[in-house]
Structure formats: structure tokens, C-alpha cells
């Protein structure tokens, strides 16, 4: 039997042991499995208590069972749910009992969602939204993923695709009606106007979106600077716990230390690095090398200094904010910047907390601009953005080539419709879908 037609099962709840665990079963054998294990079929969609038995008639667990007959189920197939006690041995016994049935096997990651997609319950953008919702750590990630799961991008894309196909039909009708090439202008002009306004509409959506797909990975902020200026003290303050060793000795931090922050719903990774200086200590040298590397990859660098001397010493691709630390010490009060030195943008005392609310506020506002989500991000992934860009390009080309011939323009319109088809998962080849679904959780 083809794996697609087999019945699949998986633990859909968290890692055992847990109070309750949910095991889902989907496929043609789901009904048989329920009636044998529970001894009867529950009323559809009604939580039903049952003592589960294996094939050997020995009890497995006192459970709650749910039955969703297909096609009105999450996957479109018959779906059963066993809500059991979440002990490892309970789950092992239940899995053994399930795997003992013919054509019933453990699910691959994302396989339930894949079946929902194949059965038309979700388009590809909605499936991606579902996966992102499961992985959402912050409020803004959750909201964006939910917008996708609810089909906000999918619905727009379907509408655009239909309008492109309508415009293309107008042009192709013109081609069919004309004998010797010349398509009547009264057919072409309205089609062109439609294509142009569509192109502008998609372009505007892209422009208004900022970098909303980056919400998935979050923003990386590196704290860098000379040794002993208080970088580790700052990361401890931001994390509100003791993640990095602080000491009066220069060269304390060598490994890169990372913390995940939730700044007003934005996911931010802050990294603390070794103080950058020339040194003979090979371990510290390696620390400095790693510090430079990570600061180069960051989206924003907080360059920390503690004296009134030079502060601007970092050149990388990312923006750099100059932060003067230890303003609680009199001698460290910032001087007027002299020739060639840069005025720090922030004055803080990492030890006492002065200036930190302002710094955090500025980070939130940076994140806000960086992710560009003020419009409510529609685009959740780089894949989606790329396909929308391709759509705009094909539409533009169709307008450019119309002078050269209507067939060429129609070809570009077909290409635009194809890009949107890919966005929705309508025209994709198997292996692209494999890659997308493989990243999902088991049990989803
Ligand atoms: N226990 C449990 N909780 C869960 C899920 C689940 O599968 N099981 N979900 C799993 O994702 C989510 C809820 N999503 C669901 C989506 C569709 C259907 C469903 O049965 N859809 C049918 C019928 C629609 C209806 O009558 O409302 C359909 O689409 O045809 C069920 C759950 C989150 N919570
Ligand atoms: N007075 C004062 N001292 C501070 C402040 N922040 C840090 N310090 C002190 O400065 C010293 C160095 O702090 P660290 O946080 O270890 O400095 P660092 O930049 O991580 O140092 P390296 O890891 O060696 O590069 C410690 O003795 C801290 O207590 C501050 O705001 N005010
Ligand atoms: Mg340190």
C-alpha cells in the first residue's frame, strides 16, 4: 500500500511525561482502530470516556476518545484522538497497540498537515502559518502566524491569480479573433489597465510589508566593545538574570553568550562577546575572533565604552549604536566629543540601571522599523516574498512586451499566475513540498 494511503499516528502533545497526552490517528483505518481499542465508536465529536485495550485484551489506560469522521475533519480523513495519561509507558503501550494494526504506522513530521493540504483543507500559506504558530514565542510572531493560518495572504493571492487569468483570457481571446496578428485595441486596452493596477497593488503590498518574514528568526543584537566596559553586566540586566560572568578583570568573557528576549512582542537575541583588544592569550584571541564574527553577522551592534575616550571602533554592515556605560562614576561622565571622536547615543549605568529604559525603548522602536509590521505583516516567509516579487516582475514584463506581440504578453501573464500558484501550493512539484513539510513538528 502507498504510504499516502496508510493510516498514521503520532503524539501531538508535548514531551512526556505530561499530565495528559494526545495521540492522533488519521486515515482509513482510524475508525477500526477506535472501535477495537475503545470497544465501541464514540458519537462523532463528543468526548467519550473509554478503557482502552490492546489486541491481547489487556487494559492500556483509562482514556478520553474523540472521533471525527472524514471528510469534515482537520485532515479530511477519519481522525481519532486518544487523550491518555502522559506517562512514557502508557504511550509506549498505546503506540505498540496502534502499530499492531495492518497499514497503520507512525507519522512523519508534518504529515497530518500535509494530508490536510492534499485534501484541500489548507493552502500552502495556511500550512506555513500553522507551523509558524506552533513555533511562535512572542505575541507578534503569534499574531502574524495566525493571520497566515486564517488565510489572509492566501485569499489575496487567490484573488490576484483569478484576476491575472481573467486579463490573460481577454488577450488570448483577442489573439484568437484576429486573423493576421493585429489584436483589436479595444480588447487589449482594458486588459492592460487591469494588469497595471494589479501589478501596482501587489507592489504596494510588498512595499508596505517591510521585513515581516524576519519575525520568524528575530532580531540579533550584539554587545561589543573593549574589555571591561560592562558588556556582560549589560546583558545580565537585559536578561534579568545572571547569564554571563562579570569581574573587574579585563578579558573575562571568551565564549559568545546568547539570551532570547521578548521586547514588546518582538523576538530579540542579544549576544555578549569577548572584549575586543590585541592580546597574547590564545584563548582570549579566539574569543575576540568569535566576537568580531558575531558582531559582523548581527542586525544591530551596541558598541559599549566606559571612558570619555575613543568609542567608534567598529565597522561592519549593521548599524552601530555607541553606548557609554558607567555614567554613575564621576570620572566617566561623557566629555564634549573632541576632534575625531563620536558622541555616544546613549549614556547608561549597566550596574545601577540608569538609562536602560531609554535604551530598551530605542531597541523596540528599531525592531518596529526593522520588521516593518505596522501594517500587520501578511508575508510570513522569504519563499512567499520571492514569489510575490516574481509575480510583479512577470506582470511588468507583460506590459513591456505587449508592443512586440500579444502572445509574448500572454506568456508573461501565465508566468505570473504560476508564481501565485506556487505561493498557494497549487503547482508545486513533490520535492518542494517535501522540504516545506519536513520542517514541521511530528504530530502536526
Ligand atoms: N484536540 C484537538 N485540539 C485542537 C486541534 C485538534 O485537531 N485536536 N486542532 C488541530 O488542528 C486545532 C483546531 N483546529 C481544527 C481544525 C479543523 C477541525 C475540523 O474538524 N474541521 C472540519 C469540520 C469543521 C467544523 O465543523 O467546524 C473541516 O474542516 O471539515 C478540527 C480542529 C487546535 N486544537
Ligand atoms: N561603576 C560601574 N561599574 C560597572 C558598571 N558596569 C559594569 N561595571 C563593572 O565593570 C567591571 C567589568 O564588567 P563586565 O560586565 O565584566 O565587563 P565586560 O565588558 O563584560 O568585560 P570583558 O568580558 O572582560 O570584556 C566589573 O567590575 C563591573 O562590576 C557600571 O555601570 N558602573
Ligand atoms: Mg564580559
Amino acid at each position: 500500500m502507498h504510504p499516502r494511503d496508510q493510516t498514521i499516528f503520532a503524539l501531538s502533545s508535548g514531551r512526556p511525561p505530561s499530565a495528559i497526552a494526545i495521540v492522533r490517528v488519521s486515515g482509513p483505518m482510524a475508525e477500526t482502530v477506535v472501535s477495537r481499542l475503545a470497544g465501541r465508536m464514540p458519537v462523532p465529536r463528543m468526548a467519550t470516556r473509554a478503557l482502552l485495550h490492546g489486541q491481547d485484551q489487556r487494559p492500556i489506560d483509562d482514556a478520553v476518545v474523540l472521533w471525527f469522521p472524514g471528510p469534515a475533519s482537520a485532515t479530511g480523513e477519519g481522525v481519532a484522538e486518544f487523550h491518555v495519561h502522559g506517562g512514557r509507558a502508557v504511550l509506549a503501550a498505546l503506540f505498540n497497540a496502534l502499530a499492531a494494526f495492518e497499514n497503520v504506522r507512525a507519522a512523519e513530521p508534518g504529515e497530518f498537515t500535509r494530508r490536510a493540504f492534499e485534501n484541500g483543507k489548507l493552502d500552502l500559506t495556511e500550512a506555513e502559518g500553522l507551523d509558524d504558530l506552533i513555533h511562535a514565542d512572542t505575541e507578534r510572531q503569534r499574531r502574524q502566524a495566525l493571520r497566515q493560518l486564517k488565510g489572509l495572504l492566501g485569499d489575496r493571492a487567490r484573488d490576484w491569480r483569478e484576476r491575472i487569468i481573467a486579463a490573460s483570457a481577454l488577450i488570448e481571446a483577442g489573439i484568437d479573433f484576429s486573423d493576421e496578428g493585429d489584436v483589436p485595441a479595444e480588447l487589449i486596452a482594458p486588459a492592460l489597465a487591469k494588469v497595471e493596477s494589479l501589478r501596482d497593488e501587489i507592489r504596494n503590498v510588498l512595499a508596505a510589508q517591510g521585513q515581516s518574514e524576519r519575525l520568524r528568526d528575530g532580531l540579533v543584537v550584539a554587545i561589543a566593545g573593549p574589555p571591561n566596559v560592562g558588556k556582560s553586566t549589560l546583558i545580565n540586566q537585559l536578561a534579568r538574570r545572571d547569564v554571563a560572568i562579570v569581574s573587574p578583570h579585563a578579558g573575562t568573557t571568551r565564549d559568545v553568550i546568547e539570551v532570547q528576549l521578548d521586547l514588546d512582542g518582538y523576538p530579540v537575541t542579544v549576544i555578549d562577546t569577548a572584549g575586543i583588544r590585541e592580546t597574547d592569550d590564545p584563548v582570549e584571541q579566539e574569543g575576540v575572533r568569535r566576537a568580531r564574527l558575531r558582531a559582523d553577522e548581527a542586525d544591530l551592534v551596541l558598541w559599549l565604552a566606559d571612558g570619555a575616550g575613543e568609542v567608534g571602533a567598529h565597522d561592519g554592515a549593521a548599524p552601530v549604536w555607541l553606548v557609554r556605560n558607567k555614567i554613575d562614576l564621576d570620572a566617566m561622565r561623557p566629555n564634549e566629543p573632541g576632534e575625531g571622536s563620536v558622541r555616544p547615543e546613549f549614556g547608561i549605568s549597566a550596574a545601577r540601571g540608569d538609562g536602560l529604559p531609554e535604551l530598551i525603548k530605542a531597541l523596540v522602536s528599531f525592531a518596529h522599523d526593522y520588521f516593518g509590521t505596522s501594517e500587520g505583516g501578511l508575508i510570513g516567509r522569504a519563499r512567499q516574498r520571492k514569489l510575490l516579487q516574481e509575480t510583479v516582475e512577470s506582470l511588468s514584463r507583460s506590459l513591456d512586451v505587449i508592443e512586440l506581440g500579444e502572445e509574448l504578453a500572454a506568456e508573461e501573464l501565465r508566468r505570473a499566475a504560476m508564481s501565485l500558484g506556487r505561493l498557494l501550493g497549487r503547482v508545486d512539484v513533490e520535492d518542494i513540498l517535501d522540504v516545506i513539510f519536513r520542517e514541521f513538528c511530528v504530530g502536526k
Side-chain angles (χ1 to χ4, degrees), residues 81-135:
E81 287 187 2
F82 297 100
H83 296 213
V84 296
H85 295 102
R88 276 188 261 271
V90 175
L91 289 167
L94 179 55
F95 288 169
N96 279 334
L98 290 169
F101 287 91
E102 194 87 21
N103 290 317
V104 177
R105 62 171 170 84
E108 304 286 337
E111 203 170 1
F112 288 91
T113 313
R114 173 118 192 206
R115 288 185 176 196
F117 166 74
E118 307 279 359
N119 292 326
K121 296 277 167 183
L122 299 167
D123 69 37
L124 198 50
T125 66
E126 290 163 351
E128 287 173 319
L130 183 58
D131 186 48
D132 291 344
L133 188 59
I134 289 166
H135 291 107

Side-chain angles (χ1 to χ4, degrees), residues 22-310:
I22 300 180
V23 174
R24 288 166 103 204
V25 182
S26 177
M29 281 290 284
E31 185 166 5
T32 307
V33 163
V34 176
S35 70
R36 295 259 205 90
L37 292 189
R40 65 206 150 95
M41 279 320 280
V43 176
R45 300 171 167 274
M46 297 288 277
T48 305
R49 187 169 172 192
L51 195 61
L52 305 181
H53 291 274
Q55 312 272 53
D56 57 6
Q57 291 317 307
R58 291 206 184 162
I60 296 172
D61 191 17
D62 183 2
V64 166
V65 183
L66 281 163
W67 166 239
F68 303 87
S73 71
T75 61
E77 304 177 316
V79 172
E81 287 187 2
F82 297 100
H83 296 213
V84 296
H85 295 102
R88 276 188 261 271
V90 175
L91 289 167
L94 179 55
F95 288 169
N96 279 334
L98 290 169
F101 287 91
E102 194 87 21
N103 290 317
V104 177
R105 62 171 170 84
E108 304 286 337
E111 203 170 1
F112 288 91
T113 313
R114 173 118 192 206
R115 288 185 176 196
F117 166 74
E118 307 279 359
N119 292 326
K121 296 277 167 183
L122 299 167
D123 69 37
L124 198 50
T125 66
E126 290 163 351
E128 287 173 319
L130 183 58
D131 186 48
D132 291 344
L133 188 59
I134 289 166
H135 291 107
D137 288 323
T138 74
E139 182 61 12
R140 289 182 200 263
Q141 287 178 319
R142 181 187 68 77
R143 278 189 231 151
Q144 170 155 311
L146 193 59
R147 275 194 292 270
Q148 291 238 321
L149 175 58
K150 287 196 306 195
L152 259 62
L153 176 62
D155 291 346
R156 291 296 289 275
R158 259 185 298 278
D159 170 59
W160 289 330
R161 187 165 179 265
E162 276 159 26
R163 284 158 62 193
I164 291 171
I165 290 168
S168 153
L170 278 179
I171 292 179
E172 276 167 44
I175 296 170
D176 291 345
F177 277 115
S178 67
D179 328 312
E180 290 301 309
D182 269 357
V183 179
E186 59 273 25
L187 268 173
I188 294 299
L192 290 185
K194 281 193 170 76
V195 170
E196 197 164 351
S197 76
L198 255 167
R199 194 253 332 251
D200 294 344
E201 192 177 326
I202 303 175
R203 208 182 247 170
N204 287 342
V205 165
L206 276 167
Q209 286 306 302
Q211 309 278 334
S212 56
E213 72 272 19
R214 297 209 186 160
L215 256 184
R216 286 182 76 219
D217 297 327
L219 181 72
V220 178
V221 178
I223 306 175
N228 217 39
V229 295
K231 299 181 295 300
S232 300
T233 308
L234 177 58
I235 200 171
N236 287 345
Q237 280 278 8
L238 292 173
R240 295 204 196 89
R241 59 200 162 94
D242 230 356
V243 288
I245 301 172
V246 167
S247 93
H249 303 289
T252 300
T253 306
R254 274 101 191 274
D255 288 321
V256 174
I257 291 165
E258 280 194 39
V259 294
Q260 306 295 332
L261 300 184
D262 176 340
L263 289 186
D264 197 27
Y266 292 113
V268 178
T269 304
V270 180
I271 61 182
D272 173 30
T273 58
I276 292 174
R277 67 168 170 185
E278 294 300 326
T279 165
D280 293 331
D281 178 346
V283 181
E284 194 180 346
Q285 277 171 0
E286 177 59 18
V288 170
R289 194 184 69 82
R290 292 181 188 199
R292 288 216 161 94
L293 217 63
R294 295 302 292 272
D296 283 347
E297 290 168 0
D299 302 306
L300 173 67
V301 175
L302 301 184
W303 187 269
L304 222 60
D306 69 352
E310 283 305 313

